[in-house]
Amino acid sequence: MNLPDQIKKAIRDVPDFPKPGILFKDITPIFYDQTLCNRIVDEFVRLLGPTKPDIIVGIESRGFLFGILLANRMNLPFVLVRKSGKLPYTTVSQEYSLEYGTAKIEMHTDSIHKGAKVVIHDDLLATGGTAAATADLIKQFDAEVCAFTFIVALDFLNGKEKLIKHTNNIQCLVHY
Ligand code: AMP
């Protein structure tokens, strides 16, 4: 079976989670199958190959899962982006708009060096708000976003439009 079909087979649709009207794409069953996990990491490595990144950044919380696997495989540092108030050391923060109100994400001040080529990873691209805010946060370090990687893209929400001003290297393994 090709990789996108195998991923789609593993992903579980959970209707009305976390609130009515949302069809949640649950990636946790992917982690029951380590052969599939390895294929996914292999594919991200292949897609990122020409980019030669310096750092992989993972977005809380499901972005940590393949983010750390990918960083480890590529022998690169892994950096966490977390919601406000979760990181213990001094932080740089970025606010962004939600459907109602705002949210804030943070990174440790010592996590990215000036001029670094950074890959932003998350499990799923929906509206693109979180990934775009992460890219803005990385710019505060005078670093460069060289790629975005996602397992899933919900194409009907046009998340890519918010990201292409940072880079057009946006890699999504499966699309809905
Ligand atoms: P957004 O900022 O709208 O692109 O939302 C992306 C974040 O929300 C990611 O961290 C996803 O894990 C999560 N998310 C949004 N919609 C879904 C969905 N339908 N299923 C699973 N996760 C989702």
Side-chain angles (χ1 to χ4, degrees):
M1 201 187 302
N2 70 34
L3 183 58
D5 285 348
Q6 211 185 338
I7 295 170
K8 281 192 171 178
K9 205 171 156 222
I11 287 173
R12 173 166 47 208
D13 285 354
V14 183
D16 300 320
F17 183 88
K19 52 185 181 183
I22 305 282
L23 182 63
F24 192 86
K25 297 288 182 190
D26 176 19
I27 62 156
T28 62
I30 291 175
F31 293 94
Y32 304 159
D33 180 347
Q34 293 305 321
T35 307
L36 177 56
C37 287
N38 282 328
R39 283 191 76 189
I40 289 171
V41 176
D42 288 345
E43 182 62 1
F44 281 138
V45 171
R46 190 184 69 78
L47 292 166
L48 289 173
T51 312
K52 300 217 181 311
D54 299 309
I55 296 172
I56 309 290
V57 163
I59 301 175
E60 180 171 358
S61 58
R62 289 177 297 278
F64 297 164
L65 300 166
F66 277 103
I68 186 83
L69 290 177
L70 181 59
N72 184 269
R73 173 75 69 81
M74 295 182 83
N75 203 24
L76 293 174
F78 177 69
V79 173
L80 290 78
V81 172
R82 298 211 63 183
K83 288 166 192 147
S84 183
K86 301 278 186 185
L87 287 170
Y89 183 59
T90 52
T91 57
V92 179
S93 64
Q94 180 73 43
E95 225 174 57
Y96 64 105
S97 312
L98 297 174
E99 201 179 347
Y100 302 104
T102 59
K104 200 155 88 173
I105 49 171
E106 297 181 334
M107 291 166 81
H108 276 150
T109 47
D110 64 351
S111 60
I112 307 268
H113 58 273
K114 196 174 168 177
K117 289 175 75 179
V118 177
V119 172
I120 297 175
H121 172 77
D122 203 356
D123 65 328
L124 182 142
L125 174 63
T127 66
T130 320
T134 302
D136 289 336
L137 184 51
I138 281 157
K139 293 251 167 90
Q140 291 191 49
F141 290 87
D142 288 325
E144 177 202 337
V145 179
C146 64
F148 292 92
T149 61
F150 304 93
I151 311 210
V152 180
L154 303 181
D155 288 342
F156 54 92
L157 294 173
N158 295 320
K160 268 192 179 182
E161 277 172 24
K162 286 203 183 80
L163 307 184
I164 44 178
K165 69 172 177 178
H166 297 286
T167 175
N168 56 16
N169 190 358
I170 305 166
Q171 307 292 347
C172 310
L173 303 186
V174 298
H175 297 263
Y176 292 93

